Amino acid sequence: MEKILIANRGEIALRVMRSAREMGIKTVAVFSEADRNALHVRYADEAVCIGLAPSAQSYLLGENIIDACLKTGAQGIHPGYGFLSENAAFARLVKAAGLILIGPSPEAMEIMGNKLSAKAAALTYNIPMVPGTEEAVTDISVAQNRAIEIGFPILIKAAAGGGGKGMRIVEKASDFIEQMDLAVSEATSAFGDGSVFIERYVSSPRHIEIQVLGDNYGNIVHLFERDCSVQRRHQKVVEEAPSSVLSEELRQKMGESAVNAARSCNYTGAGTVEFILDENLDFFFLEMNTRLQVEHPVTEMITGIDLVKEQIRIARGEALSFTQSDLKIQGHAIELRVYAEDPANNFLPDIGNLQTYITPKGPGIRVDDGFEQGMDIPIYYDPMIAKLVSYGKDRTEAIERMIRAIDEYQITGIQTTLAFGKFVMQHEAFVSGNFDTHFVSKYFTPEHLLIHEDEDEAMIAALIAAAFMESKNGNNKSIDINPVLSQWKKNRKE
Ligand code: MV4
């Protein structure tokens, strides 16, 4: 492959192009009318307009993307995440056009694209599963008996769902039939497939996912875990690697299960196996994501492996150049997703112009973004502006660097989730590692952000007062702000 087309936009398109460029591979960008001036278009060696601003009329048009490949002579397509990245029909079209999709086979996408077939595949390797039904529920009263057997609360899931879509918690047996009817009609209208199944509801889980890589010769390795427990309504906010709760033994067990899940569908390329971990540190397979994930950088930071380069090498037919025992965790990495959303206003998307946009720099900081100062955030796509990634020798240093980087980041013109990220980094539950998927709903209210604004004002007032007192005392040398600063820091922690 000497030239590849990146069938995506924004930060991930740029991210992929950077690795391609390092490998001496030419890049082709595709763009919608709304992205004519976007950075990924400027960065690429060539760019092709594939349609109108709405995704359904551009980034989701597989045929236009294949046409752009044929026109520019690109031999491979990197789909990034979202859009067509997990679309088995698109993967087949790409193959039929004589092109290479940088990703798994259509068959693997299909198996893992349905939660029930994913579980059936994974079961062949004895991977731990949450107790539930192994097949789609056809007889509601049979399912109700199974639910009573499992014990309430139970969770109804849509087989075609994913990322939390189409899930319903049922608290007690008397609600079961009503909730089941709702779940089936919801799944039918949302996914065109009314198949649902039930599982015991694990009420306070950690969300742990394992990165895997598989080549075309049956070699599959895992690149350890990412802890994605801090999320808001199934939108991840903070991800980190490694998890602060896994022992070396558990890490190895989960890694082995993830490799087996990948093996169960002859997985090739980069993929992610999702698990939940309960209070007893028992883990259960949930699903497999057959794409490069948003949060892949934290894995890159702790392993030193460039996942995009590995994806390209695998797609070129190369064997993995390392084995499991070559892989080691070094240090700790945290990713904060910076969204154009207003955390003080129920995280409402806040699109507009990036009047000021200055990114943090320095030791242990990586910013994956797709914007520059002065640009507009388009309304048509995901409101994520950037991924702010910190790396340190340990978790404490990664947190300290993240806080420093949040403070350095300057964005005006739109509201962002930066201050919310700082709230997370400074929260006792996050710092101690004692949190679950309910972190945000349990601890966050918008008042937490307002208090900090007040504290900033209070600090400035205190500094002015200190300077005034010093000058009144006839001291016109430099002022020692440390007593004021440490008192302020202490207040802030309380
Ligand atoms: C679960 C669960 C608890 N018990 N399944 C969420 C995303 C999708 N991949 C599956 N998810 C979950 N499945 C059982 N049997 C908890 C989650 C879950 C979650 C649920 C509610 C609120 C936030 C959540 C965050 C992560 C995972």
Side-chain angles (χ1 to χ4, degrees):
M1 276 194 278
E2 284 142 24
K3 193 191 269 191
I4 64 170
L5 180 144
I6 294 85
N8 216 300
R9 62 178 302 283
E11 68 87 17
I12 195 62
L14 271 166
R15 158 76 196 87
V16 172
M17 288 176 197
R18 289 192 160 111
S19 286
R21 184 166 286 180
E22 287 176 24
M23 297 171 85
I25 297 169
K26 293 266 182 270
T27 56
V28 180
V30 291
F31 62 96
S32 71
E33 296 283 3
D35 279 338
R36 200 163 275 285
N37 300 312
L39 288 186
H40 77 278
V41 177
R42 272 195 260 154
Y43 192 94
D45 297 303
E46 290 170 75
V48 182
C49 182
I50 52 163
L52 305 176
S55 309
Q57 293 172 59
S58 50
Y59 297 106
L60 288 169
L61 293 176
E63 287 179 22
N64 288 15
I65 288 165
I66 290 170
D67 283 347
C69 262
L70 299 175
K71 201 168 92 182
T72 57
Q75 302 117 331
I77 300 179
H78 195 302
Y81 53 71
F83 298 131
L84 295 167
S85 60
E86 295 180 279
N87 187 315
F90 175 65
R92 287 207 172 89
L93 275 181
V94 171
K95 220 176 190 173
L99 302 165
I100 296 169
L101 185 76
I102 302 168
S105 69
E107 292 75 27
M109 279 188 198
E110 220 147 51
I111 292 169
M112 293 303 170
N114 180 289
K115 291 186 176 191
L116 279 170
S117 57
K119 286 180 80 167
L123 262 180
T124 62
Y125 280 86
N126 287 318
I127 297 164
M129 305 272 172
V130 189
T133 52
E134 280 167 29
E135 262 148 49
V137 172
T138 47
D139 184 326
I140 295 189
S141 63
V142 171
Q144 190 179 27
N145 287 334
R146 179 76 183 118
I148 292 165
E149 225 170 77
I150 294 166
F152 285 86
I154 64 119
L155 199 54
I156 306 173
K157 293 185 176 184
K165 272 177 270 169
M167 300 198 328
R168 241 163 211 284
I169 301 170
V170 190
E171 300 288 349
K172 51 187 195 297
S174 58
D175 294 343
F176 186 78
I177 291 174
E178 185 192 346
Q179 290 295 318
M180 200 67 182
D181 285 336
L182 285 169
V184 171
S185 64
E186 228 174 54
T188 308
S189 63
F191 312 112
D193 174 0
S195 316
V196 299
F197 60 102
I198 61 174
E199 280 180 357
R200 195 188 89 219
Y201 178 58
V202 180
S203 61
S204 304
R206 297 281 280 223
H207 196 181
I208 308 280
E209 57 186 35
I210 310 273
Q211 177 71 52
V212 299
L213 279 175
D215 66 17
N216 294 295
Y217 311 96
N219 304 305
I220 306 178
V221 297
H222 70 84
L223 290 91
F224 314 107
E225 78 279 8
R226 294 184 287 260
D227 192 324
C228 308
S229 301
V230 182
Q231 51 81 47
R232 196 188 149 270
R233 300 190 181 168
H234 301 294
Q235 182 171 268
K236 291 167 186 166
V237 179
V238 171
E239 302 102 339
E240 63 180 316
S243 166
S244 52
V245 289
L246 294 205
S247 63
E248 204 41 59
E249 188 195 348
L250 185 52
R251 174 169 296 124
Q252 205 190 314
K253 270 197 194 153
M254 292 183 78
E256 200 179 305
S257 286
V259 167
N260 282 335
R263 204 172 295 289
S264 77
C265 64
N266 299 313
Y267 199 83
T268 53
T272 297
V273 183
E274 265 186 39
F275 296 95
I276 44 176
L277 194 66
D278 71 10
E279 298 89 336
N280 307 321
L281 298 181
D282 286 327
F283 67 91
F284 307 100
F285 171 87
L286 284 186
E287 55 191 90
M288 181 169 187
N289 300 318
T290 57
R291 60 171 188 276
L292 180 73
Q293 300 221 161
V294 175
E295 59 272 26
H296 76 277
V298 293
T299 300
E300 298 188 318
M301 302 296 257
I302 63 152
T303 58
I305 301 277
D306 182 322
L307 288 168
V308 173
K309 284 184 186 166
E310 294 307 324
Q311 287 185 296
I312 294 173
R313 289 187 187 118
I314 291 165
R316 283 202 301 218
E318 292 172 33
L320 285 178
S321 65
F322 47 84
T323 63
Q324 191 65 58
S325 59
D326 294 328
L327 294 166
K328 295 274 173 310
I329 296 177
Q330 182 104 236
H332 198 100
I334 304 177
E335 173 178 285
L336 170 66
R337 297 193 191 186
V338 185
Y339 290 104
E341 291 176 349
D342 186 359
N345 196 1
N346 202 27
F347 294 84
L348 232 63
D350 193 42
I351 44 110
N353 185 267
L354 284 172
Q355 281 165 10
T356 317
Y357 186 72
I358 301 169
T359 56
K361 292 169 179 67
I365 295 300
R366 165 175 170 180
V367 181
D368 282 20
D369 61 6
F371 292 103
E372 264 179 355
Q373 187 158 293
M375 284 182 170
D376 290 316
I377 312 265
I379 55 166
Y380 300 99
Y381 315 108
D382 189 84
M384 193 177 75
I385 308 168
K387 304 186 306 204
L388 173 54
V389 185
S390 73
Y391 175 81
K393 65 179 187 300
D394 54 23
R395 191 168 186 267
T396 302
E397 189 174 51
I399 292 175
E400 288 165 354
R401 283 190 165 146
M402 180 62 85
I403 293 170
R404 185 266 294 169
I406 292 170
D407 289 340
E408 274 183 31
Y409 221 135
Q410 293 178 55
I411 303 179
T412 65
I414 51 160
Q415 295 298 321
T416 77
T417 51
L418 273 172
F420 170 70
K422 186 163 171 176
F423 161 80
V424 176
M425 293 301 134
Q426 294 179 322
H427 197 279
E428 185 278 325
F430 184 77
V431 172
S432 67
N434 179 22
F435 58 92
D436 58 39
T437 52
H438 304 296
F439 177 91
V440 179
S441 56
K442 226 192 256 173
Y443 301 121
F444 180 72
T445 62
E447 287 74 52
H448 284 103
L449 304 177
L450 299 175
I451 290 164
H452 282 195
E453 272 172 27
D454 290 351
E455 281 181 0
D456 285 341
E457 279 166 20
M459 181 192 66
I460 292 163
L463 287 174
I464 293 168
F468 178 72
M469 293 306 286
E470 291 290 320
S471 68
K472 229 176 89 172
N473 294 341
N475 181 356
N476 49 17
K477 288 201 212 109
S478 63
I479 316 152
D480 182 9
I481 65 165
N482 284 317
V484 178
L485 207 58
S486 60
Q487 184 59 42
W488 168 73
K489 279 184 180 162
K490 195 170 153 273
N491 290 346
R492 175 169 268 205
K493 281 200 183 104
E494 279 160 6

